[in-house]
Amino acid sequence: MKKYIICLFIIVSASQYGCKKFLDITPIDKLTGNNFYQTKEDMESNITDMYGELFDKYTKTSFAGATGEFRSGEVIPAAEGGAGRSASGLIGGHRRQTPNPQGSTDKQNVPLTTVNDRLLLVALGGGDWSGYNFSDLTRWNEYYRVIQSANLLISKVEDGIPALTAEESKRYIAEAKFIRCFCYFQMVRLYGDVVYYTAAFQKDPLPREDMVSVINKCIADLKDFRNDLPTTFTDPSQRGVRASKGAAIGLLMNMNMWNAGFDIANRNSYYQETAALGKEIMDSKAFRLLPINEWAKVAKGRSEESLFELFRTLNYNQDLNDPFAQANAYSPFGDAFIHFPYKQPEFTHRYSFSVFSSEYMQKLYPVDDASDLRLTIWFVAPFDQNASTFQLRKFALNTFADANNPNLDLNPDNTYLIMRYPDAILLRAEAAANLGDDVTAIECLNEVRGRAGARKYGESGNDIPLKDAIFLERSKELMGEGSRYFDLVRTRRVLSKEWTDNPLTADKFNRRGWTWPIDPAALFNNPKMSLNTYWIGSGL
Amino acid sequence: MLMIKINTMRKQIILLSIFFSCIFLCKDLVAQTKKVTVSGTVTDAGTKETMVGVSVATGKPLKVLTQTDSKGHYSVSVDDGASLVFSYISYGTKTVKLNPGQTSLNVSIKEDNKTMEEVVIRGYQKRTREVTTGSSFIVSGKEVQDVPVSNVEQLLQGKVAGLNIQLNTGAPGLRGTVNIRGLSTISTTGSGNETFLQPTSPLYVIDGVPMDADKASEFGFQQQGPGVSPISLIPQEDIASIEVLKDATATALYGSRGAYGVILIQTVRGNSEIPRIRYTGNFYMNAIPKLRNILGGTNERDIKLSQILNYGRFDDLYKISNTPFLADSLNPYYNNSTDWQGVFYQNTYNQTHNIQLDGGDSKFSYKTNLSYFSDKGIIKNTGFDRYSLNMNMDYKPTTRISFFGSIRGNVGKIKKANGVGLLQTGVATDGQKSSLLPGPSFFQATSSVLSALQTNSDAGPKNLNTYIEGRYELIPGLNITSAASYDYNVDTEDTFTPAAANSQFAKIYSYYGYQSQLYNRNNISYVKSFEEKHNLFFNLFSEMYVKKGQGSTTRLERSPNDQFQGPLGYDGYFSRGGGILTTFYDQNQISFAAAFTYDFQKKYILDITYRIDGTSNNGNKDPYAKNPSVGLKWNFNKENWLKDLKWLSYGDIRLTGGKNIFPVGTLVDIYGKYGPKGFYNNNPRVGIDYEYIPNPLLRPKNVTQFNLGFDVGLFDGKLDVIFDTYYKKVSNELFTSFLSNTLAFQKYTSNDAALSNYGYELSLSSRPLSKNSKFNWTVSVNGAINNDVLTQLPAEYNGQFIEFDFGSGYEQHLAKRVGRNSLANFLYVNQGVYDSTSDVPIDPVTGLRYRNNNSGNVLNSFQGGDARFFDANGDYILDSRDLQVVGNTQPVLTGGMSNTISYTFPSGAAMSFNIYATYTAKRSILNNALADRLRLLRDPFGIARINNIDVLGANPLAVVPVNDLNMWTGPGYTNAKFANVYDYAHEGYVNNYRYPQTLWMETGSYFKINQVTLSYSFAKKMARRIGLTNIRTFFSASNIVTFSAYSGPNPEGVTAIGRDGSGGYPVPRVYNLGFNVEF
């Protein structure tokens, strides 16, 4: 009797064998999370999506231009560019425009106007000023998308993915951490305090966290994992595009230097950290400075000089209806400073949309150092303030011209450089200078200058102080790559009219006048959220 | 010892198999010595008629020897002095011990009306009701005949306490809403009048095969495809009984899908030794119910002109001459009196035919049901036809082995005009057209009329269902059953819209979808009694489903001509292509269930059930949902101290509690959805979709129910009472919260909502007359009170969530507030009408009169004749801050009553009269049809916006008479309910006739006479004279009259959240003449 029952049990249970498998279904109409993260290809396409998301965000506006250069006030829009292009001046707190030269190629005088850093708010508004789409800078949603994606990927890999080797798992974790830290760093520089989390599927609202603490957490998050990233890539299409150990070091150096500017009590440890990281990257010999006459290669992207970039090329275009479609014609920094023949057609591009003020250009390139090849390779009529002659062709040397279609209006075929080897070298120089190690600092500074054929620091008697020289070298070398305003902020040079045309008072600085306003939509569904107070109301 | 036992059993099995072969081969050789032949007649104790097909059995275990023949006669050869057992379905069994030498025996058996001895089904096992603890109610197949319906569900309305059915659509082939014991969800979809409550229909189990009735509507009512409910494919003549399971102990064995209650349907089985043919024919008329009154022709023009002359501004007088339909009364184009509603509605004549063939004996029986059903809808170009062939057979070679097999094939055809079936909004829009316009013709009518009438659609489900079940009794009391079924359903739709009906371009739409379900069940049950006192019952079973479904569409716009519907080309720019719809599913489910019942002398009963469900919907991390239940019952009439009470037939108290878990959410909710996002660096991007954040902790919906029941039968069937009270808690209800933008995802699906239902159900049935009387009178009444309370919302909403509805234009928001009924309205409170301008309150601060919206415009101020809206925040401005939570969209009290009187003439003929009614009370519904009707007067010029320019006279609308309404006519009219509707110019500023206001909120209580049936059965003698066994003819009328305080046409024809839009499909009145003939 009992045996019968037992037998029956066995039969019944055997008939239902493999339950777990039976209940696992792959829908054909959608890809659900339980069927994703299974293969290496899944990981690759998901990581690619995170970079792609960052690329999309970066190209929604003239990101490097607005955050790095326009904001400090030296960029003057051309009168011919109209109201739309004048927004780049408003970002810098002024309403100056170069007059229409009407054929004259002489140096022009630009009338001085008062400076008001809150003109920024006008540029963020819609209407005439919406061409650059600067208001996108007030929205942080996309960074959090990437952060959620990265958190999710890390938690999945930590749970274990059988298809991956241990080494691959470590690499993906490190790469996701790099991406996550990069997002937080970008946001900290734009908004100051931000919401920080690393848990997958974070759903509870959080308050903003002090930015020094966010950056410290990021440093801790990334630091030990940088060694899991590849030093170099066998596939040259990934060089600079996918996170390498060098990219992680570059980001760590930037984050340390940021905190050194705000966490005054601990600044020396940040400098030491930066100097050590700088030594590490330079000793690794994984990167090199290309000769200045090969600059076009650097601007094209994926060069040995690139630590990290958001890669763009006209060759990779997915819009079949318009093979020349661009992410956003306003987003490349170079676009605003070039005209024919670097931009076509000729009849609409006889002038640059903006110029740099001649005072600023002269500060960067003193008359007594005419040997600097950057001045000739990167510029045309650099000191003229004349929209018909001035050109910054740093990002123009890969111009795409179609003989059959002379009216094709395209930006030059360049990548979006985010971090470059000279950035790391100069940060090391800056850290060393702050630590009193002038020898290393000068050595680093001169490495960058040497590549451009510029006069070496210390060779002549009229050198400006070392730290200022390093600062100006960064402004010069990294022009248009989105770092100048942040350097002004973290070194507090933004407080002085000597270094910027759009200075902040100490009070404004302390009330975070250097941040960007945050879109009030951040307040929705989050009772713990607060906006940047400087940008609420009249600012007084 | 054990070995020996097994050995003997093995022998037994071998012997038994030999024995079975013997039975097949030499049936006649079984007869032994000392036999007598007994013969006699079996009659019905009530009607005194002879009975066909009564089983005659003897021996232990019982062995059926024969059945009575067509004259009720039997003849059997049995041992001398044996006991004969006579039995017949739904009649009691009668055992008679023969006296030695007795050879003739006439018996009469009586119909068994005792509720307690009914056979109920629990977890696919038949049990007697006496030893089960759950709450259920049985409706016999007889009660759902006599009125031809496409969906038998609607005849259950008001028959079962706690089963709330609202026939909110008259569309042929579609179903209304069905809820057992109140609300099970608070999630709604759609907006405006098309806001629907997520359907939570009970699980249907048809002859042991579970089936999902919501299948056609799981994606809302506006889904693609024919949208016919699978329930509509079962012919009512084929139904033997319907059992409605209500509490957790009854439903727990059906697992997660039983969370919303279970309805078991048994179809007719073969039951006559002589093959029988029964024919049922119905000839019926669908009549148009009351439609709205419209003023025609010159009446319409006069009203519009007088509106303009009395209330228009100076400019309006000038506009008259620019509005041709007002000014040019001599123009034949504007000089008509067209009845637009008449264009769409029609009375229809329909018929249904059903032939049922059955036969067989206790060893082998079969049944075939062949049915044709046709229902042409009262809206032109709609209708539903069904052809079905259902067969089943029972084979019981011995008492230990049995097989049951069935096959059902159904073809449905539905015509939906251009609507989606449930809604006919095109008809509603056109029904509002001005009567001054000429009637529709191919050249003059608007394309919407043509598309309603000339869209050529060919749609419908084709369904094939097979089922086989085998049972084997291994040892006495231990049964093994295995059953498998396969159900395949194809839905197709081909719609062709001619060019004239679609802006001069013909259009083709086609849909193809299929759903299949493979189902398997393996069951072991064991019954054992100890000392005749302790009875044990075990039931273990496993269930497995493999369900697949897929739908795809193709839409070709601008095909070349009207003559051919063929693939002659189309416009690629406008065409939407096609492909697999998101309704795709591929779902596996596996379940194990166990039930244990112990009773002591059938007096004290303990029921325990436990079920585990695993479904592929929940992914493989934690796919199992567990459903336990416990039930207790005390049959107190079996106590010694009550045993002798003659008037107490039975009495018991039941107490049950249990939990059903309903898996909610999909793989997407739990794991997130990933999709391609283009390329970066020339590599493909695949990323997560940021709309919903995956919630790996998503829990299934929990339905916990406690039930206390009481059954008592008094005076030998004269009065049966069933009373239940319950508390049903629905927790872990899905609720979508919106997320902060620092979290990237927009929405979060949480389990943080909950609601409770509590209520009382009472069913009374009485047969007051003596069983020997020629009259038979049955009265039954039932009613259920259900209150629902919202008990939880996600914490961030602070106890109130308003589902805003701005997109539809109705702005009738739904309020979900913790502590009150779950689905309430959020409206402005209308308190009547200002008698005169001096009654309007004045803001003492600004000196401005109470006004509409936050505007400085003096014209926005209220004046005499305007609606008196409640200024809830006292700021003298009427704006969204004055909205209030009001009303209950769900009915509180529902029930029904039935009254049958039958009389048997001495000749044997019988006559029967049945009247049956349902009622619903305590519900608020929004009379949007009335609002629409009064709002027609807002625009006497018929302005339409064409290319962003307001064109006068482009869309002239009908005028409805309003003189039956209590409307303000001038100062001094103090008790008016409705504001001055004619003052259209002022209306534009103050919006008296806005949709979101309590003026439209009316009581949805009604008392409806569902059905009256008069039937006459001819005497057998009469029937035989013309070669028939039985003739019955009946006349019935359904949906006859509804008594209600509601001012609209039908308080039942509203959506599940109580909106009476003009776009619904009215429920027709049906007059039917039918015949049952038996050969």
Side-chain angles (χ1 to χ4, degrees), chain A residues 364-375:
Chain A
L364 293 185
Y365 296 96
V367 267
D368 62 344
D369 184 16
S371 64
D372 198 329
L373 290 173
R374 287 174 291 198
L375 197 58

Side-chain angles (χ1 to χ4, degrees), chain B residues 970-984:
Chain B
Y973 198 104
T974 46
N975 293 318
K977 189 176 169 206
F978 290 89
N980 183 2
V981 76
Y982 296 112
D983 191 353
Y984 70 98

Side-chain angles (χ1 to χ4, degrees), chain B residues 563-581:
Chain B
Q563 278 68 40
F564 300 108
Q565 300 184 16
L568 297 172
Y570 59 95
D571 187 310
Y573 181 78
F574 288 96
S575 292
R576 297 279 83 83
I580 294 177
L581 298 172

Side-chain angles (χ1 to χ4, degrees), chain B residues 135-168:
Chain B
S135 166
S136 75
F137 195 86
I138 293 182
V139 176
S140 86
K142 282 184 201 162
E143 293 178 59
V144 294
Q145 307 300 330
D146 296 355
V147 171
V149 287
S150 61
N151 189 335
V152 73
E153 211 171 56
Q154 61 181 269
L155 293 180
L156 291 178
Q157 188 183 26
K159 291 210 164 95
V160 182
L163 174 67
N164 171 20
I165 295 179
Q166 300 289 331
L167 303 181
N168 46 23

Side-chain angles (χ1 to χ4, degrees), chain B residues 187-243:
Chain B
S187 67
T188 52
T189 53
S191 62
N193 284 336
E194 288 153 35
T195 310
F196 295 107
L197 195 62
Q198 184 196 359
T200 52
S201 288
L203 171 72
Y204 283 80
V205 180
I206 297 159
D207 279 339
V209 186
M211 196 180 71
D212 195 350
D214 285 336
K215 196 160 65 181
S217 53
E218 62 193 318
F219 296 98
F221 290 98
Q222 286 170 299
Q223 37 47 351
Q224 325 251 9
V228 175
S229 163
I231 302 295
S232 294
L233 293 175
I234 302 167
Q236 65 203 95
E237 292 85 357
D238 198 21
I239 290 175
S241 75
I242 299 173
E243 184 182 2

Side-chain angles (χ1 to χ4, degrees), chain B residues 907 909 1016 1018-1028 1031:
Chain B
S907 67
Y1016 182 79
F1018 289 87
K1020 296 247 158 167
K1021 254 187 240 163
M1022 274 269 291
R1024 278 190 203 119
R1025 221 172 278 163
I1026 50 168
L1028 301 172
I1031 310 174

Side-chain angles (χ1 to χ4, degrees), chain B residues 4 54 57 91 98 161 179 203 261-262 335 356 387 411 518 522 545 571 638 673 697 793 820 906 922 950 993 1038:
Chain B
I4 297 164
V54 177
Y91 280 64
L98 293 170
N179 280 318
L203 171 72
V262 179
N335 190 9
Q356 187 155 305
Y387 308 85
V411 174
L518 178 66
N522 299 306
Y545 294 89
D571 187 310
K638 293 199 191 290
K673 187 167 98 181
L697 302 175
L793 283 177
R820 60 172 290 154
K922 290 193 81 175
D950 288 334
Y993 283 93
S1038 69

